[in-house]
Amino acid sequence: MDARRCYEEDVREANRWIEEFAQSYAMGRPLHSRQMLEDIDRQMEEGNEYIYIDDLKGQKQENRMRAPPEWSPKPRETMLVYSSFESVVNNNPQWEETRPWERHPIWISLSPPQLRQEHSLADMHRIFVGWQDVWQKSEACHSLKQYLVDAQLDIAITKVVCFALGSPSYKVENGQEESLVERPHSQYAAALTMAKIFEEKFGRSIRCFTQDPIYNDSDKTFLRSIGFTPLDDPKGFLEVDAQTLVFSVSPNVPVKQIIADVQWPAAMVWNTVREGGEEKKKWKQFSDDDEVWMAPYSTDPDSPRVREMVEHYHSMAFPTDKDDKFGDLTIYLRKGIQ
């Protein structure tokens, strides 16, 4: 068989497998199961040089946890990378013959650390107090409070788990937008507002957890000081239970799909889930010269399972004002469970 025929057969085989995977997903197959996350978390806690994660065919694949001596630069940051349903069923046109079943639902990335300027702990407190005050005086905050106070919640909320709210220590450099500082502090303030509302509504303390791989030690120290418990990935996902409010803002991982697989919570505040459409979409060629292609989905896309999940929730647009620090979010509250 010549090279062209081999390539065409590989493409056909990849497409057949994608169709079979999409069918099994529609039948309920999880892409990110709680069992998988618990196993990854256990292995990471053990501190071994390698951990083993199932690929999409259920075969154990080796993932290095530490960079070998010959790698440069060092040190390397260990980060979990999550595949979305869309990334599995939409092959990059540059590699149509790639075997999609060899992909991992989750794998380990070893990347050079991101060197950036950061605020001192005192500056973080000063900035946070300022933006918390702006938030608390805003019409958006007033509307959010009114909605949650009046809402009929059939499940008592006992905790708030946040994802991807950003680094509170981030310090903008020349040419960067101030929103990189303003948005995280406003979002943490909003999370604390929601927790306080639930404390008053249910007459019990509400714990606040937060997970974002960008956190450094300064971030974690500051977050603890204002009432959050920072969690390493994937502990945030494992913390979610049926009495949780999940708060997620434009994450770089498919938070909605992971939550839909792991645990339907009592409530979510996250990027608005759009009505259904064809999941197999076309890639767009970004540059004719370099043949760079742009994926037809976001980093936190809406899968069929996510859309089916939110049908079991009441929804309302997250209130915004002219000085919006949140983007297009929706509040989802679980309907009564019979």
Side-chain angles (χ1 to χ4, degrees), residues 198-242:
F198 297 136
E199 285 183 342
E200 295 172 352
K201 196 177 187 77
F202 299 115
R204 58 175 298 166
S205 63
I206 305 293
R207 295 192 66 188
C208 294
F209 300 88
T210 184
Q211 174 182 300
D212 194 322
I214 200 174
Y215 293 151
N216 57 28
D217 290 342
S218 297
D219 292 321
K220 293 177 181 179
T221 298
F222 168 75
L223 289 167
R224 292 188 188 100
S225 75
I226 63 171
F228 290 91
T229 300
L231 297 174
D232 293 330
D233 199 2
K235 294 183 186 297
F237 296 117
L238 296 174
E239 190 64 43
V240 175
D241 62 20

Side-chain angles (χ1 to χ4, degrees), residues 20-39:
E20 291 173 1
F21 173 81
Q23 291 174 10
S24 67
Y25 185 85
M27 296 293 290
R29 171 182 175 173
L31 187 55
H32 315 95
S33 69
R34 176 175 287 272
Q35 181 181 1
M36 174 181 287
L37 292 175
E38 288 174 340
D39 185 55

Side-chain angles (χ1 to χ4, degrees), residues 54-70:
D54 287 351
D55 63 19
L56 290 172
K57 271 198 169 182
Q59 303 297 313
K60 294 288 184 187
Q61 300 294 336
E62 189 176 79
N63 285 255
R64 183 184 289 274
M65 289 293 291
R66 292 187 289 274
E70 64 270 18

